[in-house]
Amino acid sequence: MSKSLQIQKLPGILRIIMFVLVTIGIAMIARRILAIYGIIPSFSPNGEPPFDTGFAKHPAITLLHILPGSLFMILGPWQFIPGIRNRHVRFHRISGTIFIIASYIVGISALCMPFIMMPIGGINEAAGSMLFAIFFLVALSRAWWYILRKNQTLHREWMIRAFAVGLAVSTIRPIIGLFFGLSGLSPHVFFGTAFWIGFTLHLIVAEVWINYTRPVTYL
């Protein structure tokens, strides 16, 4: 296969990965809701406290975080599909507004949650969650700022950064699975590391994609 053909296939591959991660994210939200209300058992590795204990003790902040998160997962991908954006402008604008509002709620609640319940990964996970929540909110604000000024290029770039950070929660789960299967460490030890890896990986991919697709300008 030629290099040019491989490059042409790259957007399709990334789109497939995006929808896989969205599916994981929606499944995570559904599982957490069922777990905090006792409909299904919470995962409890090696006799340690169940993962959903803290969330079950604080259902209000949990639901305030994950229900808008479901809108983030459902509406996010459609913001980046050119056919939808170009042919259904009204839908794109309305869904985009809902997406940004829901994303702000997700980001603000993520910033508050470590002060209400200590994450499984302790201070390490809390620090990662708060740092990337701040970046997520900054990226959303800059995306909103640029679209109000009709700068679609910079709006797109900051939307990609925001969506990449939010979508990282889905990539973090397989990373956690790898730690469970290969490390033998306690979740309290590796959860924070998994969060840092997932968020950082998504930001790197976002920056690579932004630079790869940035329009070429000539002086």
Side-chain angles (χ1 to χ4, degrees):
M1 182 181 297
S2 67
K3 183 177 180 180
S4 61
L5 186 56
Q6 290 175 338
I7 291 175
Q8 290 173 9
K9 287 192 172 185
L10 185 58
I13 294 171
L14 289 178
R15 193 170 297 168
I16 291 171
I17 294 173
M18 176 180 68
F19 278 107
V20 168
L21 293 176
V22 164
T23 301
I24 292 173
I26 294 173
M28 286 164 41
I29 292 169
R31 191 211 65 79
R32 177 136 293 158
I33 292 174
L34 294 174
I36 64 176
Y37 286 106
I39 299 173
I40 61 173
S42 179
F43 183 53
S44 178
N46 302 321
E48 297 189 28
F51 283 172
D52 296 287
T53 299
F55 299 106
K57 289 181 180 178
H58 303 279
I61 186 67
T62 300
L63 293 176
L64 185 63
H65 182 64
I66 64 177
L67 291 180
S70 64
L71 289 176
F72 173 91
M73 292 291 178
I74 292 170
L75 296 177
W78 307 108
Q79 302 304 306
F80 302 97
I81 298 177
I84 298 292
R85 186 171 61 244
N86 297 330
R87 299 173 191 168
H88 305 279
V89 177
R90 181 175 174 80
F91 170 79
H92 176 72
R93 290 176 178 172
I94 294 175
S95 63
T97 301
I98 297 172
F99 170 79
I100 289 181
I101 292 171
S103 298
Y104 269 115
I105 298 173
V106 170
I108 294 171
S109 59
L111 200 57
C112 295
M113 288 177 78
F115 296 100
I116 299 173
M117 51 182 165
M118 180 56 68
I120 296 170
I123 297 298
N124 189 23
E125 180 183 339
S129 297
M130 293 177 66
L131 175 64
F132 285 101
I134 292 171
F135 180 87
F136 178 73
L137 291 170
V138 170
L140 281 174
S141 299
R142 291 184 70 85
W144 188 274
W145 171 271
Y146 282 119
I147 198 60
L148 289 177
R149 280 145 187 80
K150 303 187 185 304
N151 189 329
Q152 295 184 0
T153 298
L154 290 178
H155 166 73
R156 171 185 173 275
E157 291 183 5
W158 284 101
M159 281 289 284
I160 290 174
R161 293 183 179 105
F163 188 59
V165 170
L167 200 57
V169 296
S170 297
T171 297
I172 289 169
R173 267 51 191 184
I175 294 173
I176 289 173
L178 289 175
F179 273 107
F180 267 121
L182 301 176
S183 72
L185 298 173
S186 166
H188 301 287
V189 175
F190 65 73
F191 252 63
T193 303
F195 270 66
W196 282 97
I197 293 172
F199 283 125
T200 303
L201 177 62
H202 271 240
L203 269 186
I204 291 172
V205 172
E207 291 302 322
V208 170
W209 182 246
I210 287 169
N211 282 277
Y212 171 74
T213 56
R214 181 175 286 142
V216 177
T217 57
Y218 299 94
L219 295 178

